[in-house]
Each structure stands twice: as C-alpha cells, then as structure tokens.
Amino acid sequence: MNMSHELRTPLHAILSFARLGLDKISAGRGDPSKLQHYLGRIDQSGERLLSLLNALLDLSKLESGGMAYEFAQHDLMEVMRPAVQEFAALASNAGVEVSLKDESGGHSRAWVDAGRIGQVVRNLLSNAIKFTSPGGQVCIALRETEGSADMQGRRVLQVRVTDSGIGIPAQELEAVFHKFVQSSATRSKAGGTGLGLAICREIVQAHGGRIWVESEPGRGSTFIAALPVSGTSSGTRAGARSEAVNIAE
Ligand SMILES: Nc1ncnc2c1ncn2[C@@H]1O[C@H](COP(=O)(O)OP(=O)(O)O)[C@@H](O)[C@H]1O
Ligand SMILES: [Mg+2]
C-alpha cells in the first residue's frame, strides 16, 4: 500500500495545471480552450482526491471503532432495491444487465445499520459493473442459509453479488480486501481507490458477519456478505464504543 503516492498524484496534477494556467495568463496567452483543458484536469483530479479522502476518513473511523452504527431491524431487500435502482443508469451505459433476486424465502429481515449495509451493497455493485464487459450480467441476490460454525449456528442472510466479468486469480482472492490492493487482472482498468472492499469488510465484521469472494478467472466473480440475522454482541459493542467517542468529542 502506498498512501502518500495515492494522495500526492492528484494533488500534483492540480497544482501543475493551476500553475500552467496562471503562467499562460501572465504571459498574455490565456487561450480559452487551453485554459478549459487545464481546468478540466484540475476538476477531475480534485474529484479523485475528494473521493480518496472520503474513503480514507471512513476507513480510519471504521478501523478505530469510531464509527457510530445505528442498528435496527431492516428488510434487506429494501436496502438492496434502492442501491440497484441508483446504478441502473451506470449499468445501462456500461451495457451490463443488473437483476435483483429474493431467495430469502420471505425471511429478509436482519439487525443491521441500513445505511452502512447500503454502502457495502453499492461498493459491490459498482465493482461488479466496473469489471464486467458490455453484454455481461450482474445479479444481486439475498439468500437465507444455515449459520456456519464460525457464526455459532445463527441464522444468516447472504447478500450475493455475482458478475460475468473478468474474475480474480485464485491467489488474490484474499488480497483484494486489503487497502489499496487491485488485482493483477484489472490493474489496467485502474482509477479506483482500492479502498472499497476494505471498507466493506470493516462494516460487515462490525455486524458479526463475514465477506469473501469466489471467482473463476475469465468467467466472473461472486462476492458474498454473510450477516447474522440477529446481529451480534461485537456489533453492539462497536455501537456502544462509538457512542462514547461521540460524547467525548
Ligand atoms: N467484481 C469484481 N471483478 C473483478 N475484480 C474485482 C471485482 N471487485 C473488485 N475487484 C478487484 O479488487 C480490487 C479492489 O476493489 P476495491 O477495494 O473496490 O477498489 P477499487 O474499486 O477502487 O479498485 C479492484 O481494483 C479489482 O482489482
Ligand atoms: Mg471499488
């Protein structure tokens, strides 16, 4: 991970294009189309820096236990649906078809922070669309499963985001959840922050859940966020800890 490089690159671009523009103007050569090009680059790099900073601030709050979670009973289908609708335009521009499936057998409620789980769903959808070629498919499904041993046999709801995209090499399935890591299959499609999945993992773990990916390189990937329906004592603790932080602030 190379955080200072990630932050400096867009900032350098902003400064150099600003100076270039200023120099042109002082030399009496403020050609509007040139200046427009410089301002466009400044705007683009500023946006990138802003999204990077927002992601970094989110992550540091999540990692320090300073995130204030608001747990309540929510229907996860109603958390997923607006996220899917939000991405409809992006998906259709990318030529990717997105579908939503309820495989929960009518048991779609869980003890979650709806805003944060919505953030997880949005991160997973944006990746699935980004790494799938035109003509491909993305499916997001909610599935009820038996709680596995590591979730103490509690009932579990899986949010499953499946794409028919580029896939992830077997030896990188764990690393993609680390900060700033991008898989070797997608490095050429860079432009993201490499923080989305690290943020997803922090949020899911604060719910007492688990997130992982299964993939067949070249055929597609399925990201699975497994959430215990009844919430978790560690989730409650995270909430209590962040409340204490907020009061102290
Ligand atoms: N659906 C996917 N298909 C293929 N690769 C993916 C997918 N989702 C994530 N990845 C890989 O994991 C990396 C990390 O994802 P993420 O943390 O969301 O960062 P970003 O989207 O900013 O690159 C991506 O750069 C990509 O290499
Ligand atoms: Mg991402």
mmCIF file of all heavy atoms in Angstrom, residues 84-107:
data_model
loop_
_atom_site.group_PDB
_atom_site.id
_atom_site.type_symbol
_atom_site.label_atom_id
_atom_site.label_comp_id
_atom_site.label_asym_id
_atom_site.label_seq_id
_atom_site.Cartn_x
_atom_site.Cartn_y
_atom_site.Cartn_z
ATOM 1 N N VAL A 84 -29.752 -0.851 -6.234
ATOM 2 C CA VAL A 84 -29.826 -1.355 -7.613
ATOM 3 C C VAL A 84 -30.390 -0.272 -8.525
ATOM 4 O O VAL A 84 -29.873 -0.024 -9.624
ATOM 5 C CB VAL A 84 -30.702 -2.636 -7.679
ATOM 6 C CG1 VAL A 84 -30.967 -3.040 -9.123
ATOM 7 C CG2 VAL A 84 -30.023 -3.771 -6.917
ATOM 8 N N GLN A 85 -31.447 0.411 -8.069
ATOM 9 C CA GLN A 85 -32.060 1.466 -8.888
ATOM 10 C C GLN A 85 -31.076 2.603 -9.160
ATOM 11 O O GLN A 85 -31.016 3.140 -10.260
ATOM 12 C CB GLN A 85 -33.323 1.996 -8.195
ATOM 13 C CG GLN A 85 -34.500 1.038 -8.354
ATOM 14 C CD GLN A 85 -35.613 1.270 -7.342
ATOM 15 O OE1 GLN A 85 -35.504 2.122 -6.454
ATOM 16 N NE2 GLN A 85 -36.684 0.502 -7.456
ATOM 17 N N GLU A 86 -30.278 2.922 -8.130
ATOM 18 C CA GLU A 86 -29.297 4.001 -8.272
ATOM 19 C C GLU A 86 -28.268 3.701 -9.364
ATOM 20 O O GLU A 86 -27.748 4.606 -10.001
ATOM 21 C CB GLU A 86 -28.547 4.126 -6.953
ATOM 22 C CG GLU A 86 -28.422 5.518 -6.423
ATOM 23 C CD GLU A 86 -27.814 5.442 -5.045
ATOM 24 O OE1 GLU A 86 -26.570 5.377 -4.961
ATOM 25 O OE2 GLU A 86 -28.583 5.415 -4.057
ATOM 26 N N PHE A 87 -27.954 2.394 -9.542
ATOM 27 C CA PHE A 87 -26.919 2.017 -10.505
ATOM 28 C C PHE A 87 -27.480 1.700 -11.890
ATOM 29 O O PHE A 87 -26.728 1.332 -12.787
ATOM 30 C CB PHE A 87 -26.112 0.827 -9.980
ATOM 31 C CG PHE A 87 -25.065 1.241 -8.992
ATOM 32 C CD1 PHE A 87 -25.303 1.208 -7.635
ATOM 33 C CD2 PHE A 87 -23.828 1.720 -9.444
ATOM 34 C CE1 PHE A 87 -24.350 1.622 -6.725
ATOM 35 C CE2 PHE A 87 -22.871 2.134 -8.541
ATOM 36 C CZ PHE A 87 -23.130 2.085 -7.180
ATOM 37 N N ALA A 88 -28.806 1.837 -12.057
ATOM 38 C CA ALA A 88 -29.423 1.457 -13.331
ATOM 39 C C ALA A 88 -28.797 2.211 -14.508
ATOM 40 O O ALA A 88 -28.469 1.605 -15.532
ATOM 41 C CB ALA A 88 -30.930 1.697 -13.274
ATOM 42 N N ALA A 89 -28.597 3.527 -14.354
ATOM 43 C CA ALA A 89 -28.075 4.326 -15.458
ATOM 44 C C ALA A 89 -26.633 3.933 -15.782
ATOM 45 O O ALA A 89 -26.279 3.726 -16.949
ATOM 46 C CB ALA A 89 -28.158 5.810 -15.117
ATOM 47 N N LEU A 90 -25.817 3.788 -14.722
ATOM 48 C CA LEU A 90 -24.416 3.409 -14.911
ATOM 49 C C LEU A 90 -24.324 2.053 -15.625
ATOM 50 O O LEU A 90 -23.535 1.881 -16.568
ATOM 51 C CB LEU A 90 -23.722 3.336 -13.546
ATOM 52 C CG LEU A 90 -22.236 3.034 -13.591
ATOM 53 C CD1 LEU A 90 -21.449 4.296 -13.929
ATOM 54 C CD2 LEU A 90 -21.761 2.463 -12.253
ATOM 55 N N ALA A 91 -25.170 1.108 -15.173
ATOM 56 C CA ALA A 91 -25.143 -0.238 -15.750
ATOM 57 C C ALA A 91 -25.553 -0.201 -17.216
ATOM 58 O O ALA A 91 -24.906 -0.822 -18.066
ATOM 59 C CB ALA A 91 -26.068 -1.165 -14.961
ATOM 60 N N SER A 92 -26.591 0.575 -17.536
ATOM 61 C CA SER A 92 -27.047 0.573 -18.920
ATOM 62 C C SER A 92 -26.017 1.263 -19.818
ATOM 63 O O SER A 92 -25.789 0.832 -20.946
ATOM 64 C CB SER A 92 -28.463 1.144 -19.027
ATOM 65 O OG SER A 92 -28.457 2.434 -19.550
ATOM 66 N N ASN A 93 -25.330 2.277 -19.291
ATOM 67 C CA ASN A 93 -24.227 2.888 -20.057
ATOM 68 C C ASN A 93 -23.100 1.891 -20.309
ATOM 69 O O ASN A 93 -22.425 1.946 -21.337
ATOM 70 C CB ASN A 93 -23.646 4.098 -19.319
ATOM 71 C CG ASN A 93 -24.556 5.304 -19.422
ATOM 72 O OD1 ASN A 93 -25.388 5.384 -20.318
ATOM 73 N ND2 ASN A 93 -24.418 6.231 -18.489
ATOM 74 N N ALA A 94 -22.887 0.992 -19.336
ATOM 75 C CA ALA A 94 -21.810 0.009 -19.461
ATOM 76 C C ALA A 94 -22.275 -1.222 -20.247
ATOM 77 O O ALA A 94 -21.494 -2.144 -20.477
ATOM 78 C CB ALA A 94 -21.320 -0.408 -18.075
ATOM 79 N N GLY A 95 -23.557 -1.238 -20.638
ATOM 80 C CA GLY A 95 -24.092 -2.382 -21.374
ATOM 81 C C GLY A 95 -24.213 -3.629 -20.513
ATOM 82 O O GLY A 95 -24.147 -4.756 -21.004
ATOM 83 N N VAL A 96 -24.380 -3.423 -19.200
ATOM 84 C CA VAL A 96 -24.462 -4.556 -18.271
ATOM 85 C C VAL A 96 -25.879 -4.619 -17.699
ATOM 86 O O VAL A 96 -26.452 -3.601 -17.324
ATOM 87 C CB VAL A 96 -23.434 -4.380 -17.122
ATOM 88 C CG1 VAL A 96 -23.627 -5.461 -16.061
ATOM 89 C CG2 VAL A 96 -22.014 -4.412 -17.671
ATOM 90 N N GLU A 97 -26.421 -5.841 -17.653
ATOM 91 C CA GLU A 97 -27.775 -6.033 -17.152
ATOM 92 C C GLU A 97 -27.712 -6.384 -15.662
ATOM 93 O O GLU A 97 -26.966 -7.282 -15.272
ATOM 94 C CB GLU A 97 -28.409 -7.188 -17.933
ATOM 95 C CG GLU A 97 -29.902 -7.298 -17.805
ATOM 96 C CD GLU A 97 -30.396 -8.573 -18.477
ATOM 97 O OE1 GLU A 97 -30.047 -8.772 -19.675
ATOM 98 O OE2 GLU A 97 -31.079 -9.352 -17.803
ATOM 99 N N VAL A 98 -28.474 -5.663 -14.844
ATOM 100 C CA VAL A 98 -28.454 -5.933 -13.399
ATOM 101 C C VAL A 98 -29.812 -6.471 -12.961
ATOM 102 O O VAL A 98 -30.848 -5.904 -13.302
ATOM 103 C CB VAL A 98 -28.142 -4.649 -12.596
ATOM 104 C CG1 VAL A 98 -28.123 -4.946 -11.102
ATOM 105 C CG2 VAL A 98 -26.803 -4.049 -13.027
ATOM 106 N N SER A 99 -29.809 -7.583 -12.220
ATOM 107 C CA SER A 99 -31.074 -8.113 -11.705
ATOM 108 C C SER A 99 -30.988 -8.323 -10.198
ATOM 109 O O SER A 99 -29.906 -8.516 -9.640
ATOM 110 C CB SER A 99 -31.427 -9.425 -12.401
ATOM 111 O OG SER A 99 -30.356 -10.336 -12.242
ATOM 112 N N LEU A 100 -32.161 -8.269 -9.560
ATOM 113 C CA LEU A 100 -32.265 -8.406 -8.105
ATOM 114 C C LEU A 100 -33.133 -9.624 -7.818
ATOM 115 O O LEU A 100 -34.214 -9.770 -8.397
ATOM 116 C CB LEU A 100 -32.907 -7.132 -7.543
ATOM 117 C CG LEU A 100 -33.259 -7.068 -6.061
ATOM 118 C CD1 LEU A 100 -31.997 -7.101 -5.211
ATOM 119 C CD2 LEU A 100 -34.044 -5.788 -5.759
ATOM 120 N N LYS A 101 -32.653 -10.511 -6.923
ATOM 121 C CA LYS A 101 -33.405 -11.745 -6.634
ATOM 122 C C LYS A 101 -33.586 -11.919 -5.142
ATOM 123 O O LYS A 101 -32.634 -11.767 -4.375
ATOM 124 C CB LYS A 101 -32.635 -12.968 -7.147
ATOM 125 C CG LYS A 101 -32.842 -13.255 -8.593
ATOM 126 C CD LYS A 101 -32.335 -14.652 -8.931
ATOM 127 C CE LYS A 101 -32.121 -14.759 -10.441
ATOM 128 N NZ LYS A 101 -30.926 -15.506 -10.777
ATOM 129 N N ASP A 102 -34.807 -12.307 -4.756
ATOM 130 C CA ASP A 102 -35.082 -12.599 -3.352
ATOM 131 C C ASP A 102 -35.118 -14.120 -3.169
ATOM 132 O O ASP A 102 -36.053 -14.778 -3.602
ATOM 133 C CB ASP A 102 -36.423 -11.970 -2.953
ATOM 134 C CG ASP A 102 -36.701 -12.137 -1.463
ATOM 135 O OD1 ASP A 102 -35.913 -12.834 -0.784
ATOM 136 O OD2 ASP A 102 -37.688 -11.559 -0.993
ATOM 137 N N GLU A 103 -34.053 -14.665 -2.576
ATOM 138 C CA GLU A 103 -34.004 -16.115 -2.311
ATOM 139 C C GLU A 103 -34.029 -16.355 -0.810
ATOM 140 O O GLU A 103 -33.466 -17.307 -0.298
ATOM 141 C CB GLU A 103 -32.723 -16.716 -2.919
ATOM 142 C CG GLU A 103 -32.613 -16.493 -4.423
ATOM 143 C CD GLU A 103 -31.251 -16.893 -5.001
ATOM 144 O OE1 GLU A 103 -30.325 -17.224 -4.220
ATOM 145 O OE2 GLU A 103 -31.111 -16.863 -6.229
ATOM 146 N N SER A 104 -34.654 -15.418 -0.098
ATOM 147 C CA SER A 104 -34.636 -15.495 1.369
ATOM 148 C C SER A 104 -35.834 -16.267 1.907
ATOM 149 O O SER A 104 -35.943 -16.463 3.119
ATOM 150 C CB SER A 104 -34.626 -14.082 1.964
ATOM 151 O OG SER A 104 -35.869 -13.446 1.733
ATOM 152 N N GLY A 105 -36.739 -16.675 1.022
ATOM 153 C CA GLY A 105 -37.923 -17.396 1.472
ATOM 154 C C GLY A 105 -38.791 -16.570 2.402
ATOM 155 O O GLY A 105 -39.424 -17.097 3.312
ATOM 156 N N GLY A 106 -38.785 -15.266 2.169
ATOM 157 C CA GLY A 106 -39.629 -14.387 2.985
ATOM 158 C C GLY A 106 -39.005 -13.999 4.319
ATOM 159 O O GLY A 106 -39.612 -13.283 5.105
ATOM 160 N N HIS A 107 -37.787 -14.473 4.592
ATOM 161 C CA HIS A 107 -37.106 -14.109 5.849
ATOM 162 C C HIS A 107 -35.998 -13.112 5.557
ATOM 163 O O HIS A 107 -34.823 -13.422 5.709
ATOM 164 C CB HIS A 107 -36.511 -15.346 6.517
ATOM 165 C CG HIS A 107 -37.534 -16.377 6.841
ATOM 166 N ND1 HIS A 107 -37.635 -17.561 6.159
ATOM 167 C CD2 HIS A 107 -38.531 -16.376 7.761
ATOM 168 C CE1 HIS A 107 -38.640 -18.261 6.656
ATOM 169 N NE2 HIS A 107 -39.215 -17.555 7.630
#
